[in-house]
Amino acid sequence: MYRKTLSCMLLLTLVLGFVAVCACTRAPEEKAAKSILDQVIANKKLRVGFLPDYPPWGSRNPAGKYEGYDLDIAALLAAGLGVELELIPVEAPNRVPSVATGKVDVIIGCLTPTNERAKTIDFTIPYASAGIVPMVWADNKAIKTYKDLAGKKVSVARGSTPDMAIAKAVPTAQIVRFDTIADAFTALQTKKVEAFIEEDTFVFFTAKKDPRFRGVGQSFTEPELISFGARKGDQNWLNYLNNFLTNLRYSGKNAELYKKWFGVAPASMVMP
């Protein structure tokens, strides 16, 4: 009888110990699995990553305040959540890492949802689109199409879709890569390169403001979709962001903001 009771007590101790260990090991996982949506609401703050040097998507105006198409959308997202908006400037190569490491809750920064990037973060439905165009000095008559960039020095933001696009379209171009879009553009301004490759919205907007430069033709790629970037595997947060964008589109507000900043109607491929 004594041995039987002792055996039962030992078994019970082992079972309770196992349960305690399981509970301890589950706690961090449950904490890590908490949706960003819940965290944003609890903290009453939304951290949005954006491009700080990419007008009209996002840039600093003469008064020192950040403004742009992406920032207007970020403000609406925060207002809908009823929380404070914290804007976090992020350079182009760091957009995906900023989401993956938790530096920002969402990236709203003219981000193309490529298959490679989708291995690291999740993407929403698209809210805009853009092509890719070379920019040159206006008096440069030698470059009439993107094909004329063969053998010439061109600048890009490292790892960007323009970087990949020009490498594929003109394999013999001498690509000079920079960590920021601003630095890549400066390389053209200082004539260290003959062309700067970027998305057409930025190129034509900049050339309109500064006639010393011009865009070369139309996009040499099919239009790229633009989406928000979010933490991988957080379906609740992704569902909320997709719902926000669906309402933004069908209310006509997205089209209104796009025309405000770009001066034209958005492409039908991303609008109802």
Side-chain angles (χ1 to χ4, degrees):
M1 183 68 178
Y2 173 76
R3 290 181 179 176
K4 187 175 181 180
T5 303
L6 182 60
S7 297
C8 290
M9 290 178 65
L10 288 173
L11 179 60
L12 180 61
T13 300
L14 289 172
V15 170
L16 291 174
F18 177 75
V19 170
V21 169
C22 289
C24 289
T25 55
R26 278 202 308 267
E29 293 175 357
E30 290 171 355
K31 185 177 181 181
K34 186 176 181 181
S35 176
I36 287 176
L37 176 60
D38 297 326
Q39 295 175 34
V40 166
I41 294 172
N43 297 333
K44 301 186 182 302
K45 181 180 290 187
L46 174 68
R47 301 170 302 158
V48 175
F50 72 100
L51 291 175
D53 54 7
Y54 203 61
W57 299 81
S59 62
R60 199 188 293 270
N61 63 24
K65 182 181 178 181
Y66 285 116
E67 64 178 14
Y69 172 59
D70 278 339
L71 303 191
D72 279 358
I73 291 177
L76 290 175
L77 177 60
L81 286 162
V83 300
E84 175 190 350
L85 173 62
E86 179 182 354
L87 293 171
I88 300 178
V90 178
E91 298 299 347
N94 296 324
R95 286 173 295 178
V96 170
S98 71
V99 175
T101 60
K103 180 180 179 180
V104 301
D105 299 317
V106 60
I107 187 80
I108 307 178
C110 194
L111 185 61
T112 304
T114 65
N115 291 336
E116 187 62 29
R117 288 170 175 166
K119 295 176 183 177
T120 306
I121 63 173
D122 284 338
F123 290 98
T124 63
I125 58 175
Y127 67 99
S129 65
I132 297 175
V133 170
M135 176 188 277
V136 299
W137 282 83
D139 60 2
N140 185 333
K141 307 302 181 184
I143 299 177
K144 298 180 175 64
T145 75
Y146 74 94
K147 295 180 181 179
D148 294 327
L149 298 176
K152 295 181 172 61
K153 283 187 176 182
V154 301
S155 61
V156 296
R158 190 186 316 277
S160 63
T161 45
D163 182 356
M164 294 179 280
I166 194 63
K168 180 179 179 180
V170 189
T172 59
Q174 299 178 46
I175 303 175
V176 184
R177 296 176 172 88
F178 294 87
D179 289 333
T180 71
I181 295 169
D183 287 343
F185 182 36
T186 299
L188 174 65
Q189 293 173 304
T190 55
K191 299 189 177 181
K192 292 179 180 177
V193 297
E194 293 187 64
F196 162 58
I197 315 298
E198 250 311 317
E199 289 181 337
D200 54 4
T201 51
F202 175 83
V203 169
F204 292 130
F205 180 87
T206 303
K208 185 177 180 179
K209 291 180 63 177
D210 190 343
R212 294 179 302 162
F213 302 98
R214 65 179 175 87
V216 179
Q218 299 301 311
S219 176
F220 61 85
T221 66
E222 290 297 318
E224 301 173 325
L225 297 174
I226 307 297
S227 299
F228 291 2
R231 185 179 72 186
K232 197 162 190 65
D234 190 344
Q235 194 60 49
N236 285 346
W237 184 223
L238 190 65
N239 288 346
Y240 183 88
L241 294 174
N242 281 332
N243 189 73
F244 165 79
L245 285 174
T246 297
N247 289 329
L248 191 73
R249 291 165 61 186
Y250 280 89
S251 68
K253 188 63 178 179
N254 196 10
E256 176 188 323
L257 292 177
Y258 192 93
K259 192 163 186 179
K260 167 188 171 182
W261 288 103
F262 298 101
V264 296
S268 59
M269 63 189 293
V270 293
M271 296 293 164

